[in-house]
Structures are given as C-alpha cells and as structure tokens.
C-alpha cells in the first residue's frame, strides 16, 4: 500500500487531477492552475469592490478614494495568500493540510453593506466589527469538535441554499454593470455578460477531455477582450484607463499593504455592528 501511494504522488498523469497529491503534466497544470487562480482572484475582488464602493467614511459622509480601494484590494489578496499557505502548511490546529484557497466571503456581504452605509458607523465601524467577528469565528472554529454534531446535512444544505439565493442579486448587479453605476442595465453591460456566459457554455461543449473544465477561463478571457474592444473603439465605456493611471500614480506600481491601524480610518468597535455580522 505504501508503494502504491508513493507511486501516485511521484508519477505524472492526467488522471492525477483528481488525486490529492498527484502530479499533472505541465501543459495541463498551467491552464488549470491559471483558471483556478483567476476564479479565486475575481471572487476575492468582487466583495471588496461592492462593499468599498458603497462604504462611507464615518462622520464625513464621503466615499473611499480609488487609491484607498486599491490598497484594500492589495490587503485582501495578501491575506488570502497567507491564509492559503496556512491551509496547505498547518500551524498547530490552524489549517487543514488541503489545497483550500482562502479569500473574501460573499456570506457577510449584506451585513457589511448595512454597517458601512450607516453614517454613525461607516467604514470604520465595519472594520471594527470584522476584527471582533474574526476573533469570535476563530474561537468557534477551534471549539468545533464540541458542537459540530448539531450541524446535520440538512442544516448545512439550508445554509448553502440561503447563501446561493442571497448571491443571485449580486450576480445580476454585476451583469448590469455594477452596483450603483450611472449606466446600470445599459445594453453593452448586458451584451458582455451574455456573451461571456455563452462562451462559457459553448466552450464546455466544444472542448475535449479534461479541457472542458477550462470553460470559465475561456469565458473570462473573451469577456475582458470584448470589454476592451468596446472601450478602445469608443462604442461603450467599459474600461476606465484614465482611472488606472491615476490610481497607479497615487499608490505606485508596487506597494506594501498597510495595516488598518496605521491609516486615517481608525476602527470603531461597536457591539451593534458586531451582532449584525
């Protein structure tokens, strides 16, 4: 049994895609890995963009600047990388020793939007609630062996269904161009969204073998290309290149993520915001 296990790890084969420690040929590992990273990348950025786009600064009523949102995106990806490494290489009881990509969750999106749009709490109140909520969730996770027997498959299924239904509105908002944009529901947003979906479905049908699973990557690439073409050809403003250059001039091409305690937005710890999460 030991030799067979070692053979699965050492040998290189397409079948190893579904083996925990299996090695896959490089020409297949690169596109599958790229799709996985891009899919995780988008899901990490979307909640941050949605929340930060709606968040107001406590006491002023102003929104976050594009440079501040960019720095928050950096922090999200930086911490997601650390969390993923801790899952792969556990420390004490923290980590599963499985290839789990950690990132930003859509689960708390509704609660965060309620907090960050409250003038008395704002972005600072949301950050304080997230810090307290993170500590609480960590303690709950470490004590899971005492209460996880109460989470039957029926309970888990209901929670997953509820999360999925709550995200339908988020997906439709993205399809329409994004939450709060002035041209929400414009024909070019709907066209790019429909085009991306069709490319994903067609790719799933046309690609052969294990490459069928690359349909999401193909849809992402073609969707972005169509958006760039619309922008360059002055058909529709899909990509704001001026905003990109302005943000780079303020943040820089490379910068180290800043801790929230060292910024102008000091966290506010409010029990009402904590219980909302």
């Amino acid at each position: 049994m030991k030799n067979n296990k070692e053979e699965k790890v050492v040998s290189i084969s397409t079948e190893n895609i579904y083996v925990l420690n299996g090695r896959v040929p490089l020409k297949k590992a690169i596109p599958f890995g790229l799709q996985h990273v891009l899919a995780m990348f988008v899901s990490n950025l979307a909640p941050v963009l949605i929340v930060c786009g709606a968040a107001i600064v406590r006491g002023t009523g102003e929104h976050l600047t594009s440079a501040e949102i960019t720095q928050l995106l950096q922090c999200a990806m930086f911490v997601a990388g650390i969390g993923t490494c801790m899952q792969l290489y556990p420390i004490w009881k923290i980590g599963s020793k499985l290839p789990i990509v950690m990132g930003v969750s859509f689960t708390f999106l509704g609660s965060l939007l309620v907090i960050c749009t409250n003038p008395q709490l704002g972005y600072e109140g949301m950050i304080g609630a997230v810090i307290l909520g993170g500590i609480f969730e960590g303690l709950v996770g470490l004590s899971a062996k005492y209460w996880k027997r109460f989470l039957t498959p029926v309970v888990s299924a209901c929670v997953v269904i509820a999360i999925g239904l709550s995200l339908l509105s988020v997906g439709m908002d993205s399809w329409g161009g994004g939450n709060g944009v002035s041209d929400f529901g414009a024909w070019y947003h709907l066209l790019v969204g429909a085009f991306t979906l069709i490319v994903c479905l067609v790719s799933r049908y046309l690609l052969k073998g294990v490459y069928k699973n690359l349909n999401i990557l193909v849809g992402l690439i073609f969707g972005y290309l169509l958006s760039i073409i619309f922008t360059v050809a002055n058909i529709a403003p899909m990509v704001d290149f001026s905003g990109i250059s302005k943000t780079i001039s303020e943040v820089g091409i490379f910068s180290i993520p800043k801790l929230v305690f060292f910024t102008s937005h000091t966290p506010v710890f409010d029990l009402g915001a904590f219980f909302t999460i």
Side-chain angles (χ1 to χ4, degrees):
M1 293 296 292
K2 183 177 180 181
N3 293 335
N4 291 337
K5 183 178 180 181
E6 290 179 354
E7 185 179 351
K8 287 183 179 180
V9 176
V10 175
S11 62
I12 300 177
S13 171
T14 305
E15 300 298 327
N16 289 337
I17 289 179
Y18 305 103
V19 177
L20 177 60
N21 296 314
R23 297 180 61 187
V24 182
L26 193 61
K27 64 179 181 179
K28 291 184 173 61
I30 290 178
F32 278 102
L34 181 60
Q35 172 180 262
H36 192 60
V37 170
L38 285 178
M40 297 299 103
F41 193 82
V42 172
S43 63
N44 269 318
L45 299 186
V48 179
L49 290 172
I50 293 172
V51 173
C52 291
I56 59 176
V57 179
R58 182 173 180 263
T60 65
E62 298 179 355
H63 290 276
L64 299 175
T65 65
S66 58
E68 289 173 332
I69 295 176
T70 300
Q71 291 173 343
L72 289 172
L73 293 174
Q74 289 179 330
C75 292
M77 300 309 300
F78 184 71
V79 174
I82 294 176
T84 302
C85 289
M86 292 182 69
Q87 290 286 1
L88 290 170
Y89 311 105
I91 299 175
W92 186 50
K93 295 183 179 181
I94 302 175
S96 60
K97 208 172 182 179
L98 293 173
I100 298 174
V101 178
M102 302 298 294
V104 182
S105 175
F106 280 92
T107 307
F108 307 99
L109 194 61
S111 301
L112 295 180
L113 288 173
V114 170
I115 298 171
C116 70
T117 54
N118 185 334
Q120 297 180 351
L121 297 173
Y123 170 77
E124 292 82 357
M126 180 188 69
I127 293 298
V130 168
I131 293 174
L132 292 178
I135 295 173
F136 176 76
E137 188 173 0
L139 296 175
V140 170
L142 291 174
S143 61
K145 64 180 181 180
Y146 300 109
W147 53 263
K148 65 179 182 181
R149 64 179 181 273
F150 299 109
L151 298 183
T152 62
V154 174
V155 176
S156 302
C158 291
V159 171
V160 173
I161 292 173
I163 293 174
L165 292 176
S166 67
L167 293 181
L168 285 175
S169 59
V170 177
M172 296 309 296
D173 284 341
S174 299
W175 197 322
N179 186 26
V181 297
S182 57
D183 58 348
F184 182 84
W187 66 268
Y188 42 87
H189 290 309
L190 300 178
L191 178 61
V192 170
F195 174 76
T196 303
L197 176 60
I198 293 172
V199 171
C200 289
L201 296 175
V202 173
S203 300
R204 178 71 179 179
Y205 176 76
L206 294 180
L207 294 176
K208 305 298 181 182
V210 294
Y211 290 105
K212 287 181 177 291
N213 296 326
L214 292 177
N215 62 320
I216 297 176
L217 175 61
V218 176
L220 283 172
I221 293 174
F222 278 87
Y224 275 111
L225 287 176
L226 182 60
S227 300
I228 294 174
I229 292 173
F230 276 5
T231 303
V232 174
N234 291 324
I235 298 175
M238 300 293 293
V239 183
D240 185 6
F241 296 103
S242 62
I244 296 174
S245 60
K246 180 182 177 182
T247 302
I248 292 177
S249 65
E250 294 179 356
V251 179
I253 298 176
F254 175 81
S255 61
I256 299 176
K258 296 180 180 179
L259 294 175
V260 68
F261 293 99
F262 295 95
T263 66
S264 58
H265 304 298
T266 306
V268 175
F269 298 98
D270 182 86
L271 287 179
F274 168 72
F275 285 120
T276 301
I277 292 183

